[in-house]
Amino acid sequence: MSSTPLDAAPAPAAMSTRSPGRAAWLRLRRDRAALASGIVSALLVVVALAAPLIGAAYGIHPQDTFQEDLDRFGLPYGVAGGVTGTHWFGLEPGQGRDLFIQMVYGMRTSLGIAFAAALMTTVVGVLLGIVAGYLGGWVDAVLNWVTDVTLALPFLIFTLAVIRPIELHFYGPREAVPGWFRVIVLITVFTAFGWTTTARLVRGQVLSLREREFVEAARASGARLGRVLFRELLPNLGAPILVAFSLSIPAYITGEAALSFLGIGMLEPTPDFGRTIFRSLNYLQTDPAYVLFPGVTIFVLVLAFNLFGDALRDALDPKSLR
């Protein structure tokens, strides 16, 4: 008659021995959409960062023009807007600039503004949300009121009304506004409106964490406010903050392109998707490739970051079955 040793115990499940970060990584690796979108997003970021190197290897600067390759109507010779071995995406009608290098530098413009705005809105939103959620009382009431007022302001109308006066405050009506200044203005405007989502998300998380044992223990030991907020609470907010940051990037890419399309975003000579698409509308019938290339590029850019952000949210959700 066989017997089972009393000290024998079943082995713990593999998942129970994994840290939350490793479990999230394994879920992310099993998601094919996450892998594909992550690879595409990483490649596009590399292209944006390496824009000067790509331009040097390509042998064309964004402001180089090729008027000799345009007909008397300003349209490129050849098919698909002048696509050749020299000009991979053809030429811009009228100006004769190389469209491929415009897209490469336009990607750097969009991603640079989007990442900077996402970083700023995340920092502001986290700071305000964690303070409001932990302190509560009149501090929470005031910050909630500010949040409600910010959400009530019409973003587009406010942007249309404020960007030009800001420029006139620093530059005269006949002075050229440098591209770097417009970048700072756009990032500031996005930050002024975009922090509310992260702040409300963080506040809700802090409301559920501030009564936990580890927070009570920190308070009982005499920890200062800064230590409780940033050493105890903040490390437990990494997942929602990371998800909010990743999902805000494609939103700011489309937002920057939309403002440039309306003429209040980036101006010449800075390459930009929105302004290129706006100019291409005049050539829909005569040169459809002019709208196709920038349209497809920004579509792939936004889609890749959106899919990766969604996959990251699912992977960081401990209740996810994926």
Side-chain angles (χ1 to χ4, degrees):
M1 180 177 179
S2 62
S3 61
T4 303
L6 296 178
D7 57 347
M15 182 61 72
S16 64
T17 63
R18 297 172 184 164
S19 66
R22 178 169 176 76
W25 168 245
L26 291 176
R27 283 194 292 267
L28 200 63
R29 285 180 56 186
R30 289 196 298 264
D31 190 342
R32 294 182 179 179
L35 288 177
S37 59
I39 292 172
V40 173
S41 299
L43 287 176
L44 294 175
V45 170
V46 170
V47 168
L49 293 175
L53 297 178
I54 294 175
Y58 191 59
I60 297 176
H61 188 269
Q63 304 310 319
D64 291 344
T65 59
F66 300 88
Q67 295 291 332
E68 67 278 4
D69 294 326
L70 304 179
D71 61 20
R72 61 191 183 93
F73 300 106
L75 297 176
Y77 292 112
V79 297
V83 173
T84 62
T86 304
H87 307 293
W88 295 353
F89 287 0
L91 299 174
E92 286 186 310
Q95 298 186 0
R97 295 181 300 193
D98 184 89
L99 193 54
F100 171 76
I101 206 65
Q102 287 288 315
M103 294 300 94
V104 170
Y105 275 83
M107 198 176 302
R108 186 176 70 163
T109 301
S110 294
L111 286 178
I113 293 175
F115 270 95
L119 179 61
M120 291 296 296
T121 54
T122 300
V123 171
V124 174
V126 168
L127 289 176
L128 296 180
I130 199 172
V131 169
Y134 180 75
L135 296 181
W138 67 269
V139 176
D140 188 26
V142 170
L143 290 177
N144 273 329
W145 180 82
V146 173
T147 302
D148 292 336
V149 171
T150 304
L151 290 172
L153 290 174
F155 170 75
L156 185 58
I157 295 176
F158 181 86
T159 306
L160 286 168
V162 88
I163 285 185
R164 187 56 181 163
I166 290 177
E167 291 179 346
L168 291 175
H169 180 75
F170 293 93
Y171 298 93
R174 297 185 179 180
E175 291 183 85
V177 179
W180 62 264
F181 183 81
R182 182 59 71 91
V183 169
I184 293 176
V185 171
L186 290 178
I187 293 173
T188 303
V189 170
F190 284 138
T191 304
F193 281 88
W195 62 268
T196 54
T197 302
T198 303
R200 286 198 162 177
L201 175 64
V202 170
R203 173 185 175 272
Q205 294 291 322
V206 172
L207 287 175
S208 65
L209 291 173
R210 67 181 183 180
E211 304 301 331
R212 296 282 184 88
E213 291 80 2
F214 67 92
V215 178
E216 294 287 350
R219 283 199 294 256
S221 65
R224 295 183 178 181
L225 177 62
R227 177 179 177 83
V228 175
L229 294 181
F230 302 113
R231 297 289 296 274
E232 303 295 337
L233 289 172
L234 187 59
N236 292 279
L237 301 171
I241 292 173
L242 183 59
V243 171
F245 175 81
S246 63
L247 290 176
S248 65
I249 293 175
Y252 292 132
I253 292 174
T254 55
E256 185 276 327
L259 293 180
S260 297
F261 183 89
L262 295 174
I264 56 175
M266 298 306 298
L267 303 175
E268 291 286 0
T270 305
D272 184 84
F273 286 116
R275 195 181 61 252
T276 301
I277 294 175
F278 175 77
R279 292 190 67 250
S280 69
L281 297 181
N282 296 322
Y283 301 93
L284 281 176
Q285 293 184 341
T286 55
D287 188 3
Y290 186 24
V291 70
L292 175 65
F293 287 118
V296 170
T297 303
I298 193 171
F299 172 77
V300 172
L301 183 65
V302 173
L303 180 63
F305 277 97
N306 264 324
L307 290 177
F308 185 74
D310 289 338
L312 185 63
R313 178 181 56 194
D314 293 337
L316 291 173
D317 184 3
K319 299 179 182 179
S320 176
L321 299 177
R322 299 176 63 177

